[in-house]
Amino acid sequence: LPVLLHSFLYRTAAASASLPTFLLVGPSGSGKTAFATLTERTSIAQTHTSTQPLTIEALLPSPHVPASSHYRSPGDPAYERSRRFLLLDTPGHGKLRHYATASLSDPKSIRGIIFVVDAAALAEEPGLNEAASYLHDVLLSLQKRYTSATSSKGPTGIPVLVAANKMDLFTALPANLVKHQLEKAITEVRTSRAKALRDAGAALSGGEDEVDEEREWLGEGGEGHFEFSQMQEIGTSVSVVGANVLGGKETGSVDGWWEWIGENL
Ligand code: GDP
């Protein structure tokens, strides 16, 4: 029995490992678990605790079509297979973010990153700053992955969906403002990080060292405003799409998010 069990587990793990994977990240309370629960699940790979990432095998719901299957018809086994993907729900708690960053350092099967934010929390400074510094770090990991790549053409870019959730709340910022506020707050994060690095460098070397500032600076080298479009340089497109996981169809749905997943599947 143990041998059978082992081979079963091994095969399951191997089959799952090859599925396209989307990382679910973002501050806690933004709605990641609610979204993961909403997906049509075919299996759950791990017991969820607040300190462990949760892997969910999901299906892209129709009428959404995986980009890889535009020329196939429903019923074709290859079409059905192409609808399968994994959602890796990572804990949002600050100390546990290394799970998300660890997956980013080995992103072979990572097709995209879904960064869930509470669009109502972004209307307040603490919520905005928390989301911006987390998103800054995610984008910086993607940039480092790109700039430290050894192959000449660079790794395939990983797209990011800023999933602006809780649009059913009347305090929620609309998607265009979510984008604007996050870009503005990331500009501030970037400036204060650069200053901290310069200060640390000055303390170490008596003022001369630039402490690899280039590698720690998100986006184009210039001093100006950060914009998500600057991530195109590292092959990463950032889309901001509003939705609400809960709160009913009248106020919207997560169709825009499915569409984005389909485009990257
Ligand atoms: P996580 O920490 O990111 O996994 O967040 P959860 O999925 O646990 O959601 C946090 C809270 O937000 C829960 O109380 C959810 O019921 C609530 N929530 C999630 N999505 C929505 C939404 O679209 N609208 C509203 N009003 N509440 C939501």
Side-chain angles (χ1 to χ4, degrees), residues 1-60:
L1 185 65
V3 176
L4 268 178
L5 186 63
H6 176 266
S7 89
F8 172 75
L9 286 175
Y10 176 79
R11 272 188 296 126
T12 318
S16 294
S18 58
L19 282 180
T21 300
F22 293 88
L23 275 186
L24 209 48
V25 297
S28 59
S30 58
K32 296 180 295 298
T33 308
F35 177 59
T37 314
L38 189 82
T39 60
E40 192 180 338
R41 278 164 289 173
T42 50
S43 80
I44 296 185
Q46 265 161 283
T47 343
H48 198 26
T49 70
S50 54
T51 57
Q52 288 278 308
L54 170 74
T55 308
I56 291 167
E57 198 180 306
L59 282 180
L60 184 69

Side-chain angles (χ1 to χ4, degrees), residues 202-223:
L204 279 175
S205 68
E208 283 165 39
D209 203 346
E210 293 280 303
V211 211
D212 269 351
E213 207 183 294
E214 286 286 297
R215 282 176 45 216
E216 296 295 333
W217 180 266
L218 181 67
E220 289 161 351
E223 287 286 316

Side-chain angles (χ1 to χ4, degrees), residues 27-35 165-169 244-247:
S28 59
S30 58
K32 296 180 295 298
T33 308
F35 177 59
N165 192 27
K166 307 198 187 182
M167 286 298 171
D168 57 305
L169 301 177
N244 52 283
V245 175
L246 305 175

